Every structure is written in structure tokens, then in C-alpha cells.
mmCIF file of all heavy atoms in Angstrom:
data_model
loop_
_atom_site.group_PDB
_atom_site.id
_atom_site.type_symbol
_atom_site.label_atom_id
_atom_site.label_comp_id
_atom_site.label_asym_id
_atom_site.label_seq_id
_atom_site.Cartn_x
_atom_site.Cartn_y
_atom_site.Cartn_z
ATOM 1 N N ALA A 5 -186.742 139.890 -54.523
ATOM 2 C CA ALA A 5 -186.185 138.542 -54.610
ATOM 3 C C ALA A 5 -186.035 138.098 -56.077
ATOM 4 O O ALA A 5 -185.047 137.460 -56.439
ATOM 5 C CB ALA A 5 -187.056 137.538 -53.841
ATOM 6 N N HIS A 6 -187.007 138.467 -56.886
ATOM 7 C CA HIS A 6 -186.938 138.126 -58.311
ATOM 8 C C HIS A 6 -185.774 138.849 -58.996
ATOM 9 O O HIS A 6 -185.019 138.277 -59.773
ATOM 10 C CB HIS A 6 -188.283 138.455 -58.977
ATOM 11 C CG HIS A 6 -188.426 137.937 -60.360
ATOM 12 N ND1 HIS A 6 -188.230 136.607 -60.679
ATOM 13 C CD2 HIS A 6 -188.712 138.559 -61.526
ATOM 14 C CE1 HIS A 6 -188.405 136.443 -61.969
ATOM 15 N NE2 HIS A 6 -188.689 137.616 -62.528
ATOM 16 N N TRP A 7 -185.614 140.150 -58.700
ATOM 17 C CA TRP A 7 -184.477 140.904 -59.236
ATOM 18 C C TRP A 7 -183.163 140.257 -58.825
ATOM 19 O O TRP A 7 -182.258 140.063 -59.628
ATOM 20 C CB TRP A 7 -184.495 142.354 -58.742
ATOM 21 C CG TRP A 7 -185.299 143.288 -59.604
ATOM 22 C CD1 TRP A 7 -186.473 143.879 -59.297
ATOM 23 C CD2 TRP A 7 -184.910 143.756 -60.905
ATOM 24 N NE1 TRP A 7 -186.888 144.677 -60.342
ATOM 25 C CE2 TRP A 7 -185.955 144.633 -61.335
ATOM 26 C CE3 TRP A 7 -183.848 143.522 -61.769
ATOM 27 C CZ2 TRP A 7 -185.948 145.267 -62.566
ATOM 28 C CZ3 TRP A 7 -183.828 144.166 -62.992
ATOM 29 C CH2 TRP A 7 -184.857 145.036 -63.398
ATOM 30 N N ASN A 8 -183.073 139.864 -57.556
ATOM 31 C CA ASN A 8 -181.867 139.232 -57.053
ATOM 32 C C ASN A 8 -181.564 137.948 -57.824
ATOM 33 O O ASN A 8 -180.409 137.705 -58.211
ATOM 34 C CB ASN A 8 -182.003 138.947 -55.552
ATOM 35 C CG ASN A 8 -180.719 138.421 -54.956
ATOM 36 O OD1 ASN A 8 -179.658 139.025 -55.093
ATOM 37 N ND2 ASN A 8 -180.788 137.270 -54.315
ATOM 38 N N HIS A 9 -182.577 137.147 -58.056
ATOM 39 C CA HIS A 9 -182.417 135.874 -58.792
ATOM 40 C C HIS A 9 -181.930 136.171 -60.247
ATOM 41 O O HIS A 9 -180.978 135.549 -60.708
ATOM 42 C CB HIS A 9 -183.752 135.131 -58.829
ATOM 43 C CG HIS A 9 -183.834 134.106 -59.895
ATOM 44 N ND1 HIS A 9 -183.118 132.917 -59.861
ATOM 45 C CD2 HIS A 9 -184.564 134.059 -61.042
ATOM 46 C CE1 HIS A 9 -183.399 132.207 -60.948
ATOM 47 N NE2 HIS A 9 -184.273 132.880 -61.679
ATOM 48 N N VAL A 10 -182.571 137.114 -60.915
ATOM 49 C CA VAL A 10 -182.228 137.408 -62.297
ATOM 50 C C VAL A 10 -180.813 137.962 -62.411
ATOM 51 O O VAL A 10 -180.024 137.550 -63.272
ATOM 52 C CB VAL A 10 -183.245 138.370 -62.933
ATOM 53 C CG1 VAL A 10 -182.768 138.898 -64.300
ATOM 54 C CG2 VAL A 10 -184.603 137.691 -63.085
ATOM 55 N N VAL A 11 -180.458 138.876 -61.512
ATOM 56 C CA VAL A 11 -179.117 139.492 -61.562
ATOM 57 C C VAL A 11 -178.057 138.494 -61.134
ATOM 58 O O VAL A 11 -177.020 138.353 -61.800
ATOM 59 C CB VAL A 11 -179.097 140.775 -60.686
ATOM 60 C CG1 VAL A 11 -177.684 141.285 -60.514
ATOM 61 C CG2 VAL A 11 -180.007 141.833 -61.274
ATOM 62 N N THR A 12 -178.280 137.786 -60.030
ATOM 63 C CA THR A 12 -177.270 136.838 -59.517
ATOM 64 C C THR A 12 -176.971 135.749 -60.525
ATOM 65 O O THR A 12 -175.817 135.355 -60.699
ATOM 66 C CB THR A 12 -177.761 136.230 -58.158
ATOM 67 O OG1 THR A 12 -177.946 137.284 -57.253
ATOM 68 C CG2 THR A 12 -176.740 135.244 -57.623
ATOM 69 N N ASP A 13 -178.025 135.238 -61.176
ATOM 70 C CA ASP A 13 -177.836 134.169 -62.140
ATOM 71 C C ASP A 13 -177.458 134.668 -63.527
ATOM 72 O O ASP A 13 -177.303 133.867 -64.455
ATOM 73 C CB ASP A 13 -179.127 133.313 -62.239
ATOM 74 C CG ASP A 13 -179.406 132.556 -60.981
ATOM 75 O OD1 ASP A 13 -178.539 132.470 -60.092
ATOM 76 O OD2 ASP A 13 -180.516 131.997 -60.883
ATOM 77 N N ASP A 14 -177.358 136.021 -63.710
ATOM 78 C CA ASP A 14 -177.069 136.618 -65.010
ATOM 79 C C ASP A 14 -177.981 136.036 -66.076
ATOM 80 O O ASP A 14 -177.575 135.691 -67.167
ATOM 81 C CB ASP A 14 -175.592 136.413 -65.366
ATOM 82 C CG ASP A 14 -175.104 137.437 -66.378
ATOM 83 O OD1 ASP A 14 -175.788 138.444 -66.592
ATOM 84 O OD2 ASP A 14 -174.043 137.200 -66.986
ATOM 85 N N ALA A 15 -179.270 135.914 -65.698
ATOM 86 C CA ALA A 15 -180.273 135.219 -66.515
ATOM 87 C C ALA A 15 -180.551 135.860 -67.876
ATOM 88 O O ALA A 15 -181.091 135.186 -68.761
ATOM 89 C CB ALA A 15 -181.587 135.117 -65.724
ATOM 90 N N LEU A 16 -180.190 137.103 -68.078
ATOM 91 C CA LEU A 16 -180.484 137.784 -69.344
ATOM 92 C C LEU A 16 -179.262 137.846 -70.275
ATOM 93 O O LEU A 16 -179.356 138.399 -71.344
ATOM 94 C CB LEU A 16 -181.020 139.188 -69.081
ATOM 95 C CG LEU A 16 -182.241 139.271 -68.181
ATOM 96 C CD1 LEU A 16 -182.635 140.731 -67.973
ATOM 97 C CD2 LEU A 16 -183.392 138.468 -68.741
ATOM 98 N N ALA A 17 -178.160 137.228 -69.875
ATOM 99 C CA ALA A 17 -176.931 137.348 -70.621
ATOM 100 C C ALA A 17 -177.009 136.744 -72.023
ATOM 101 O O ALA A 17 -176.374 137.246 -72.964
ATOM 102 C CB ALA A 17 -175.792 136.690 -69.849
ATOM 103 N N HIS A 18 -177.772 135.683 -72.181
ATOM 104 C CA HIS A 18 -177.778 134.953 -73.453
ATOM 105 C C HIS A 18 -179.199 134.822 -74.031
ATOM 106 O O HIS A 18 -179.532 133.792 -74.593
ATOM 107 C CB HIS A 18 -177.139 133.587 -73.304
ATOM 108 C CG HIS A 18 -175.746 133.678 -72.748
ATOM 109 N ND1 HIS A 18 -174.699 134.181 -73.486
ATOM 110 C CD2 HIS A 18 -175.231 133.351 -71.559
ATOM 111 C CE1 HIS A 18 -173.579 134.150 -72.738
ATOM 112 N NE2 HIS A 18 -173.908 133.661 -71.568
ATOM 113 N N VAL A 19 -179.996 135.909 -73.929
ATOM 114 C CA VAL A 19 -181.348 135.863 -74.461
ATOM 115 C C VAL A 19 -181.289 135.872 -75.974
ATOM 116 O O VAL A 19 -180.666 136.759 -76.558
ATOM 117 C CB VAL A 19 -182.170 137.072 -73.934
ATOM 118 C CG1 VAL A 19 -183.526 137.135 -74.620
ATOM 119 C CG2 VAL A 19 -182.338 137.000 -72.425
ATOM 120 N N PRO A 20 -181.919 134.889 -76.629
ATOM 121 C CA PRO A 20 -181.903 134.870 -78.107
ATOM 122 C C PRO A 20 -182.800 135.972 -78.673
ATOM 123 O O PRO A 20 -183.786 136.369 -78.073
ATOM 124 C CB PRO A 20 -182.505 133.490 -78.443
ATOM 125 C CG PRO A 20 -183.337 133.138 -77.244
ATOM 126 C CD PRO A 20 -182.664 133.773 -76.066
ATOM 127 N N GLY A 21 -182.393 136.527 -79.815
ATOM 128 C CA GLY A 21 -183.226 137.509 -80.480
ATOM 129 C C GLY A 21 -183.216 138.899 -79.842
ATOM 130 O O GLY A 21 -184.027 139.738 -80.203
ATOM 131 N N ARG A 22 -182.284 139.153 -78.960
ATOM 132 C CA ARG A 22 -182.213 140.405 -78.233
ATOM 133 C C ARG A 22 -182.007 141.571 -79.244
ATOM 134 O O ARG A 22 -181.159 141.514 -80.111
ATOM 135 C CB ARG A 22 -181.019 140.319 -77.260
ATOM 136 C CG ARG A 22 -180.902 141.523 -76.372
ATOM 137 C CD ARG A 22 -179.721 141.325 -75.395
ATOM 138 N NE ARG A 22 -179.847 142.271 -74.330
ATOM 139 C CZ ARG A 22 -179.560 142.012 -73.076
ATOM 140 N NH1 ARG A 22 -179.124 140.818 -72.746
ATOM 141 N NH2 ARG A 22 -179.703 142.910 -72.160
ATOM 142 N N LEU A 23 -182.805 142.641 -79.061
ATOM 143 C CA LEU A 23 -182.734 143.776 -79.975
ATOM 144 C C LEU A 23 -181.921 144.940 -79.436
ATOM 145 O O LEU A 23 -181.340 145.709 -80.213
ATOM 146 C CB LEU A 23 -184.167 144.266 -80.312
ATOM 147 C CG LEU A 23 -185.039 143.246 -81.034
ATOM 148 C CD1 LEU A 23 -186.447 143.823 -81.202
ATOM 149 C CD2 LEU A 23 -184.452 142.876 -82.392
ATOM 150 N N THR A 24 -181.923 145.113 -78.096
ATOM 151 C CA THR A 24 -181.222 146.238 -77.486
ATOM 152 C C THR A 24 -180.650 145.782 -76.156
ATOM 153 O O THR A 24 -180.873 144.671 -75.714
ATOM 154 C CB THR A 24 -182.175 147.451 -77.202
ATOM 155 O OG1 THR A 24 -183.115 147.050 -76.183
ATOM 156 C CG2 THR A 24 -182.917 147.878 -78.440
ATOM 157 N N ASP A 25 -179.899 146.658 -75.507
ATOM 158 C CA ASP A 25 -179.343 146.351 -74.197
ATOM 159 C C ASP A 25 -180.166 146.859 -73.037
ATOM 160 O O ASP A 25 -179.830 146.613 -71.891
ATOM 161 C CB ASP A 25 -177.912 146.903 -74.104
ATOM 162 C CG ASP A 25 -176.946 146.132 -74.964
ATOM 163 O OD1 ASP A 25 -177.150 144.920 -75.149
ATOM 164 O OD2 ASP A 25 -175.973 146.737 -75.480
ATOM 165 N N GLU A 26 -181.278 147.584 -73.338
ATOM 166 C CA GLU A 26 -182.144 148.043 -72.246
ATOM 167 C C GLU A 26 -182.777 146.826 -71.549
ATOM 168 O O GLU A 26 -183.025 145.791 -72.182
ATOM 169 C CB GLU A 26 -183.280 148.936 -72.763
ATOM 170 C CG GLU A 26 -182.865 150.337 -73.033
ATOM 171 C CD GLU A 26 -182.455 150.554 -74.494
ATOM 172 O OE1 GLU A 26 -182.654 149.640 -75.313
ATOM 173 O OE2 GLU A 26 -181.946 151.635 -74.781
ATOM 174 N N VAL A 27 -183.070 146.967 -70.284
ATOM 175 C CA VAL A 27 -183.759 145.930 -69.520
ATOM 176 C C VAL A 27 -185.137 146.486 -69.163
ATOM 177 O O VAL A 27 -185.272 147.651 -68.816
ATOM 178 C CB VAL A 27 -182.965 145.550 -68.250
ATOM 179 C CG1 VAL A 27 -183.787 144.628 -67.346
ATOM 180 C CG2 VAL A 27 -181.639 144.899 -68.617
ATOM 181 N N TYR A 28 -186.137 145.613 -69.268
ATOM 182 C CA TYR A 28 -187.518 145.997 -68.969
ATOM 183 C C TYR A 28 -188.026 145.140 -67.807
ATOM 184 O O TYR A 28 -187.734 143.942 -67.752
ATOM 185 C CB TYR A 28 -188.420 145.789 -70.166
ATOM 186 C CG TYR A 28 -188.108 146.743 -71.295
ATOM 187 C CD1 TYR A 28 -187.157 146.407 -72.267
ATOM 188 C CD2 TYR A 28 -188.755 147.967 -71.393
ATOM 189 C CE1 TYR A 28 -186.873 147.264 -73.305
ATOM 190 C CE2 TYR A 28 -188.458 148.842 -72.447
ATOM 191 C CZ TYR A 28 -187.520 148.483 -73.379
ATOM 192 O OH TYR A 28 -187.232 149.350 -74.404
ATOM 193 N N ALA A 29 -188.814 145.736 -66.948
ATOM 194 C CA ALA A 29 -189.542 145.009 -65.911
ATOM 195 C C ALA A 29 -191.009 145.282 -66.251
ATOM 196 O O ALA A 29 -191.525 146.393 -66.100
ATOM 197 C CB ALA A 29 -189.194 145.526 -64.526
ATOM 198 N N VAL A 30 -191.685 144.246 -66.764
ATOM 199 C CA VAL A 30 -193.031 144.385 -67.276
ATOM 200 C C VAL A 30 -194.041 143.854 -66.270
ATOM 201 O O VAL A 30 -193.901 142.744 -65.749
ATOM 202 C CB VAL A 30 -193.167 143.645 -68.641
ATOM 203 C CG1 VAL A 30 -194.573 143.778 -69.195
ATOM 204 C CG2 VAL A 30 -192.128 144.132 -69.628
ATOM 205 N N TYR A 31 -195.078 144.629 -66.070
ATOM 206 C CA TYR A 31 -196.218 144.260 -65.222
ATOM 207 C C TYR A 31 -197.381 143.974 -66.153
ATOM 208 O O TYR A 31 -197.867 144.879 -66.830
ATOM 209 C CB TYR A 31 -196.587 145.403 -64.280
ATOM 210 C CG TYR A 31 -195.473 145.785 -63.322
ATOM 211 C CD1 TYR A 31 -194.375 146.538 -63.756
ATOM 212 C CD2 TYR A 31 -195.532 145.416 -61.999
ATOM 213 C CE1 TYR A 31 -193.367 146.901 -62.876
ATOM 214 C CE2 TYR A 31 -194.514 145.758 -61.103
ATOM 215 C CZ TYR A 31 -193.447 146.498 -61.567
ATOM 216 O OH TYR A 31 -192.455 146.861 -60.702
ATOM 217 N N THR A 32 -197.825 142.724 -66.240
ATOM 218 C CA THR A 32 -198.819 142.346 -67.209
ATOM 219 C C THR A 32 -199.719 141.252 -66.637
ATOM 220 O O THR A 32 -199.513 140.794 -65.524
ATOM 221 C CB THR A 32 -198.152 141.924 -68.524
ATOM 222 O OG1 THR A 32 -199.141 141.774 -69.531
ATOM 223 C CG2 THR A 32 -197.333 140.651 -68.388
ATOM 224 N N ASN A 33 -200.685 140.820 -67.432
ATOM 225 C CA ASN A 33 -201.659 139.783 -67.006
ATOM 226 C C ASN A 33 -202.258 140.128 -65.658
ATOM 227 O O ASN A 33 -202.345 139.301 -64.741
ATOM 228 C CB ASN A 33 -200.984 138.417 -66.937
ATOM 229 C CG ASN A 33 -200.395 138.008 -68.260
ATOM 230 O OD1 ASN A 33 -200.987 138.269 -69.308
ATOM 231 N ND2 ASN A 33 -199.242 137.392 -68.242
ATOM 232 N N LEU A 34 -202.700 141.390 -65.542
ATOM 233 C CA LEU A 34 -203.323 141.875 -64.312
ATOM 234 C C LEU A 34 -204.659 141.181 -64.053
ATOM 235 O O LEU A 34 -205.456 140.998 -65.003
ATOM 236 C CB LEU A 34 -203.538 143.396 -64.361
ATOM 237 C CG LEU A 34 -202.317 144.254 -64.154
ATOM 238 C CD1 LEU A 34 -201.404 144.276 -65.349
ATOM 239 C CD2 LEU A 34 -202.735 145.660 -63.794
ATOM 240 N N GLU A 35 -204.901 140.818 -62.834
ATOM 241 C CA GLU A 35 -206.149 140.155 -62.457
ATOM 242 C C GLU A 35 -207.358 141.033 -62.803
ATOM 243 O O GLU A 35 -208.380 140.523 -63.262
ATOM 244 C CB GLU A 35 -206.151 139.823 -60.969
ATOM 245 C CG GLU A 35 -207.381 139.131 -60.469
ATOM 246 C CD GLU A 35 -207.337 138.788 -59.007
ATOM 247 O OE1 GLU A 35 -206.314 139.050 -58.330
ATOM 248 O OE2 GLU A 35 -208.319 138.217 -58.519
ATOM 249 N N HIS A 36 -207.226 142.334 -62.615
ATOM 250 C CA HIS A 36 -208.313 143.257 -62.880
ATOM 251 C C HIS A 36 -207.948 144.181 -64.034
ATOM 252 O O HIS A 36 -208.117 145.411 -63.956
ATOM 253 C CB HIS A 36 -208.657 144.052 -61.632
ATOM 254 C CG HIS A 36 -209.063 143.190 -60.470
ATOM 255 N ND1 HIS A 36 -210.220 142.470 -60.456
ATOM 256 C CD2 HIS A 36 -208.406 142.879 -59.332
ATOM 257 C CE1 HIS A 36 -210.293 141.764 -59.316
ATOM 258 N NE2 HIS A 36 -209.184 141.998 -58.630
ATOM 259 N N ALA A 37 -207.433 143.593 -65.112
ATOM 260 C CA ALA A 37 -206.980 144.358 -66.286
ATOM 261 C C ALA A 37 -208.084 145.295 -66.774
ATOM 262 O O ALA A 37 -209.249 144.916 -66.849
ATOM 263 C CB ALA A 37 -206.565 143.421 -67.395
ATOM 264 N N GLY A 38 -207.652 146.516 -67.074
ATOM 265 C CA GLY A 38 -208.571 147.523 -67.583
ATOM 266 C C GLY A 38 -209.344 148.250 -66.498
ATOM 267 O O GLY A 38 -210.040 149.218 -66.787
ATOM 268 N N ARG A 39 -209.253 147.758 -65.241
ATOM 269 C CA ARG A 39 -210.041 148.389 -64.158
ATOM 270 C C ARG A 39 -209.180 148.935 -63.036
ATOM 271 O O ARG A 39 -209.434 150.016 -62.528
ATOM 272 C CB ARG A 39 -211.024 147.390 -63.615
ATOM 273 C CG ARG A 39 -212.056 146.884 -64.603
ATOM 274 C CD ARG A 39 -213.149 146.042 -63.973
ATOM 275 N NE ARG A 39 -212.644 145.084 -63.011
ATOM 276 C CZ ARG A 39 -212.532 143.776 -63.249
ATOM 277 N NH1 ARG A 39 -212.873 143.297 -64.399
ATOM 278 N NH2 ARG A 39 -212.079 142.970 -62.310
ATOM 279 N N SER A 40 -208.165 148.149 -62.591
ATOM 280 C CA SER A 40 -207.329 148.618 -61.487
ATOM 281 C C SER A 40 -206.027 147.841 -61.435
ATOM 282 O O SER A 40 -205.875 146.796 -62.086
ATOM 283 C CB SER A 40 -208.069 148.463 -60.142
ATOM 284 O OG SER A 40 -208.000 147.124 -59.691
ATOM 285 N N ARG A 41 -205.108 148.316 -60.602
ATOM 286 C CA ARG A 41 -203.808 147.659 -60.449
ATOM 287 C C ARG A 41 -203.840 146.669 -59.308
ATOM 288 O O ARG A 41 -202.828 146.032 -58.971
ATOM 289 C CB ARG A 41 -202.703 148.697 -60.232
ATOM 290 C CG ARG A 41 -202.840 149.524 -58.975
ATOM 291 C CD ARG A 41 -201.710 150.559 -58.908
ATOM 292 N NE ARG A 41 -201.874 151.466 -57.818
ATOM 293 C CZ ARG A 41 -201.378 151.266 -56.596
ATOM 294 N NH1 ARG A 41 -200.652 150.205 -56.322
ATOM 295 N NH2 ARG A 41 -201.566 152.158 -55.642
ATOM 296 N N SER A 42 -204.979 146.507 -58.629
ATOM 297 C CA SER A 42 -205.081 145.577 -57.505
ATOM 298 C C SER A 42 -205.122 144.118 -57.998
ATOM 299 O O SER A 42 -205.406 143.860 -59.153
ATOM 300 C CB SER A 42 -206.325 145.894 -56.657
ATOM 301 O OG SER A 42 -207.479 145.632 -57.431
ATOM 302 N N GLY A 43 -204.833 143.199 -57.116
ATOM 303 C CA GLY A 43 -204.910 141.779 -57.428
ATOM 304 C C GLY A 43 -203.580 141.228 -57.937
ATOM 305 O O GLY A 43 -202.520 141.840 -57.801
ATOM 306 N N TRP A 44 -203.649 140.056 -58.510
ATOM 307 C CA TRP A 44 -202.482 139.328 -59.015
ATOM 308 C C TRP A 44 -202.020 139.898 -60.339
ATOM 309 O O TRP A 44 -202.805 140.389 -61.134
ATOM 310 C CB TRP A 44 -202.825 137.853 -59.165
ATOM 311 C CG TRP A 44 -202.990 137.184 -57.853
ATOM 312 C CD1 TRP A 44 -204.145 137.090 -57.119
ATOM 313 C CD2 TRP A 44 -201.971 136.536 -57.088
ATOM 314 N NE1 TRP A 44 -203.886 136.408 -55.954
ATOM 315 C CE2 TRP A 44 -202.574 136.066 -55.904
ATOM 316 C CE3 TRP A 44 -200.606 136.305 -57.306
ATOM 317 C CZ2 TRP A 44 -201.872 135.391 -54.936
ATOM 318 C CZ3 TRP A 44 -199.907 135.624 -56.344
ATOM 319 C CH2 TRP A 44 -200.512 135.179 -55.168
#
């Protein structure tokens, strides 16, 4: 659903300071950072 929102709204078209044309999907701020991928 998030991908659909970003693509449909062309949300990355005018990002300031853009360095490249690659797109990243980042998984961060893990609830159990350093221990596991489980949680929020």
C-alpha cells in the first residue's frame, strides 16, 4: 500500500538535494535493533 501511494502520487519526483536516480526502500528504527528483525 505504501509503494502504491508513493508511486501513484509520484512522491519522489521533486525531492530536494537528490544525488542519484536510484530508489531505496529502507528498513530502519527496528524495535529490536541489533538483536532481530521482529517487531515494529
Side-chain angles (χ1 to χ4, degrees):
H6 190 54
W7 272 110
N8 186 54
H9 162 71
V10 170
V11 171
T12 301
D13 293 349
D14 202 15
L16 304 179
H18 304 290
V19 173
R22 186 179 196 141
L23 298 175
T24 67
D25 288 329
E26 281 94 8
V27 172
Y28 293 88
V30 180
Y31 298 76
T32 190
N33 301 322
L34 284 75
E35 180 178 359
H36 301 291
R39 297 189 317 256
S40 80
R41 63 182 174 92
S42 66
W44 289 88

